[in-house]
Amino acid sequence: MAPPESERIASAQQTLDILHEMSQLLNTQLDKETLTTCVRLIESGVNPEALAAVIEELRRENLVRNGGSRS
Amino acid sequence: MSDLLPALESIVYLLVPASRNDSSLRNELVTISQDILQSRIGQRHEADIGHLSDLIKRQLIKTTDSESASLRFTNLLSRLLDQPVLSRKHACVQFLQSVSSSRHSTTGPPFLPSLAPPPPSRKAASPSSPSPRTPLPQVGKSKAERLREYRLQSVAGTPLPENLLLRDTLYLLQGISGRYVQFSPDRDLDDQHTLEFVESGRYYISAPTKALIHRLSEVGYLYTRVDVFVRERGVAHGVGMIEQSLCHHLQLKLTEYYRLIAILESQMLNPSSDGDNKLKQESGLTLWRLDVWINEWRLRMRMMSVCVEGAKESHGGALVNLIHSYTDNGDPFIRTFTDQLLEEVSKPFFSTLHKWLFSGELYDPFSEFFVAVDSSLAHVQHVHPSSLDGGINQLYDDKDDLKFDDMDGPRHREGGLRLWEEKYRLQKDMLPMFVGETFGRKIFSTGKSLNFIRYSCRDSDWVVTREKMSNTGGLLKYSDISGLERSIDAAYSLASHRFFDVFIEKFKLLDHLNALKHYLLLGHGDFADQLMLALGPSLSKPANTLFRHNLTATLEAAIRSSNAQNDPPDVLRRLDARMLEYSRGEIGWDVFTLEYKVDPPIDTVIDPDSMVQYLKLFNHLWRMKRIEGTLSQCWMRMAGGARTILRIPELEPAWHRIRGRMAEMVHFIRQLQAYCRSEVIDSSWKMLMEFLRKREGDLDAMIEAHQSYLGRLVRQILLLSSKTGKEENVLTQVTDLFSIAIQYRESVDNFYNFCLSESARRDRLHDEERGIYSGPPSQGDEDEPLDEAIPRLTRPINEYGSQFTERMHTLIQHLAIHTDHDCRRLGLRLNFSEFYRSKKDVKT
């Protein structure tokens, strides 16, 4: 008894909106696209804390890279 | 994990834009990300949305300092929870929270605190970036890298899946080695329970899990011990009933345990077949849950194992004691467990107790009861069928068949008292503590009395009826200690009452004691006088000329001619006269004795040893009686003769002295007799009668009372001192006085005879002077002149007289410092007029 496709998309959109708002509230500085990917990962069973660690790691990597390129 | 790759890649692209052009960098980052995802980060937490939202709110308040943000978050969260799409909403929220908190705290909480950040050395990993140090904080080796290194250093492989461990653990609980966890094979040798973990290949078991499994396996180990014990006892022979019931109880408990294991096993199987994660989390079995389930059993198993240990060393009542010592535990769980256990275990004990207490039978095939039977006496009727005619086998005799013929046999001495004292023994270490020692003694004595009434007194009907009556009163139980005490008290008083009834009314103990007092202690004065008169002449003859039948005939005559004839014939029949073993030169006085025979079960109270004491007393009193008789005869002759025939004026002073000395002796013997009779025998008798009238206590008390009665008699009549080595000092003095008195009497008799012949001679001379012929002049008249004969005759009289007085002095001195109060009083009696003052006193 799956709901109609359009309805599902709408509710998914709504959920994502809520999560995005929450993310802004928490000042995570994740853009909507990244957040969507992350949520998808979590839905497929990835541990949220581990994923957070990944995000942090990648950010740091980016920082190093940018810093390196800047200098 | 492979399906995650595109998503990971896209994240990498989004967050590190540089990697879009650099594929090696991209690959490296993706690998790092995968490592992090597969690490154990975040596995410790159980999901709880409430806790999480609290955490976030606290964080929001801290960072924004406003209530509105928190309110907004609550609003958002509730809206999110309403959404149907996501299945792991809390995980998403947690993800956001984690990202946010790692952003806020610049350093971030180190998730592996033991690893200090090593000096940054990113050069090798990223050669493309020349590395002038940026002022950015702690850009070194990434945490993922550190984790990987740590992983490589410590252990290889992945943790063993929990369901495999669970299965093994369930095996362990049943004492079976599992596939990954095994009992070390040599555990039987050193009795240490050690586990071996088989870490094969890529699986490893983490240390906390190992500790947990160790905890769990303790139960399995204890189970094996209990189980082995129960099995061993099940096949072994000669296992005591208490132990059997312990085994039974343990077996019941183990069955319950099996049931638990079965339930746990089914719990473990169900969710895994289902495969639904959520269900597994709610109802499935984990090692921790198992630990909780098994926790209660751990305590129980420990208790059981302790009991098993105890059962190896102690036995019967001691085992009950051991278990009982745990009932005082403060833990109500242990207390109830032990109470239950004890209730079960003490059942055979109480059934034995019941039999013992109400029927006097000891049914204890494994000698577990605190009363032990002496096996040599228990089966004595099979060994010596004729030895104990009053003992056990009289049960099989006819009731009226009293046997007297073999009473003189030496085996008779084994009878009553020994049977009573040694057939059953109280074993204190087997006595359960909840019974207590005083009650234990009561139980012991009650059963013993019943047994005695039943078998030795042949009064089994009464016991049987009593038993039937008491059977209706309900069973004895551990949980009803006060009831137990009540029934013990009731049984005790009933048994002891019946006991006194049997002894006094059926076996006429009082008659026998009276007879002993009257005959052996010369209570019947007329009888004693008659016997003395009748026997006197023949007892002066040498012992070997006496015959027993003459003595018994004389005894008969004495009984018939005195008041003793009114005594019951049963008593008179037992009275006998006989001679002791004699040696050369002894006369009848030394060996004659009266005897009183008792038959079982009275001989339990008046045992052969007591009879010996009675005979000793008789001997002494009889001698006293003899001295008294001799002295009074002598006195009568002398006093009568002095008035009529002994008219020799010059000898009058000598006779006066003799009379004085004689009075002294008569005084001595009279006082001694009066002392024995009134102060010793009758007062002791009164005490004994008071005890018997009270009817308290058992046979032991009765024996004790009789013994103390007899002991007092012996001590005070024989004037025994309690000083060791000097016990019979005073007694020898008294017997010396007796013999001196007899010798004195003999010499007085000689003197008397001389005086008689002298006065006859004078009469004749006088007659001749008057010219009357009164007879032919005797030939020996001139043999000895008067002046020589008188000193020859008076010398021994004076000698013995002074000896007597001297001895009296020492006797009185000794009596004055005698240890016994009553004996001191005898000294006072003898010296009431202070006639025997010591020379020292006289001088002062």
Side-chain angles (χ1 to χ4, degrees), chain B residues 231 405 442 464 521 621 635 777 797 817:
Chain B
R231 270 166 219 271
D405 44 10
K442 270 191 180 173
V464 170
L521 303 182
L621 291 170
W635 177 267
I797 294 177
I817 54 164

Side-chain angles (χ1 to χ4, degrees), chain B residues 23 91 153 248 252 274 405 414 433 467 483 580 637 841:
Chain B
S23 69
Q153 275 167 13
H248 174 71
L252 279 182
D274 203 336
D405 44 10
E414 288 184 354
M433 271 179 276
E467 190 191 353
L580 302 168
R637 219 149 58 137
D841 292 342

Side-chain angles (χ1 to χ4, degrees), chain B residues 370-405:
Chain B
F370 61 86
V371 179
V373 65
D374 188 326
S375 49
S376 66
L377 285 169
H379 304 292
V380 77
Q381 71 263 45
H382 303 305
V383 184
H384 307 294
S386 65
S387 67
L388 282 167
D389 54 349
I392 298 169
N393 62 342
Q394 281 224 341
L395 189 69
Y396 312 111
D397 287 349
D398 281 333
K399 289 239 166 186
D400 301 331
D401 182 21
L402 282 165
K403 291 183 182 175
F404 285 102
D405 44 10

Side-chain angles (χ1 to χ4, degrees), chain B residues 114 143 192 305 344 432 508 642 667:
Chain B
S114 60
K143 279 179 183 169
Q192 294 275 328
S305 159
E344 287 290 322
K508 309 238 182 303
H667 168 77

Side-chain angles (χ1 to χ4, degrees), chain B residues 289-327:
Chain B
R289 282 186 187 160
L290 190 61
D291 188 45
V292 174
W293 274 107
I294 227 72
N295 205 7
E296 198 169 283
W297 272 98
R298 181 176 296 127
L299 265 178
R300 243 176 243 170
M301 278 290 179
R302 278 185 192 155
M303 289 304 302
M304 281 152 78
S305 159
V306 165
C307 293
V308 164
E309 274 302 298
K312 279 179 192 159
E313 282 151 20
S314 48
H315 174 73
L319 180 59
V320 176
N321 255 349
L322 181 89
I323 299 171
H324 181 253
S325 66
Y326 292 104
T327 51

Side-chain angles (χ1 to χ4, degrees), chain B residues 728-793:
Chain B
E728 300 203 340
N729 259 3
V730 184
L731 179 63
T732 42
Q733 283 171 15
V734 171
T735 46
D736 280 353
L737 281 171
F738 286 173
S739 52
I740 289 171
I742 292 203
Q743 280 163 330
Y744 186 79
R745 191 239 149 138
E746 274 167 13
S747 33
V748 169
D749 272 355
N750 285 343
F751 187 58
Y752 175 83
N753 288 339
F754 171 77
C755 287
L756 207 59
S757 54
E758 177 63 22
S759 71
R761 196 178 62 87
R762 286 189 187 191
D763 277 351
R764 207 168 47 241
L765 282 179
H766 192 66
D767 286 348
E768 275 171 18
E769 275 169 24
R770 289 192 293 165
I772 300 165
Y773 179 74
S774 56
S778 58
Q779 294 301 312
D781 281 353
E782 272 78 40
D783 283 358
E784 207 175 18
L786 202 63
D787 301 341
E788 289 174 27
I790 292 173
R792 182 178 60 83
L793 290 168

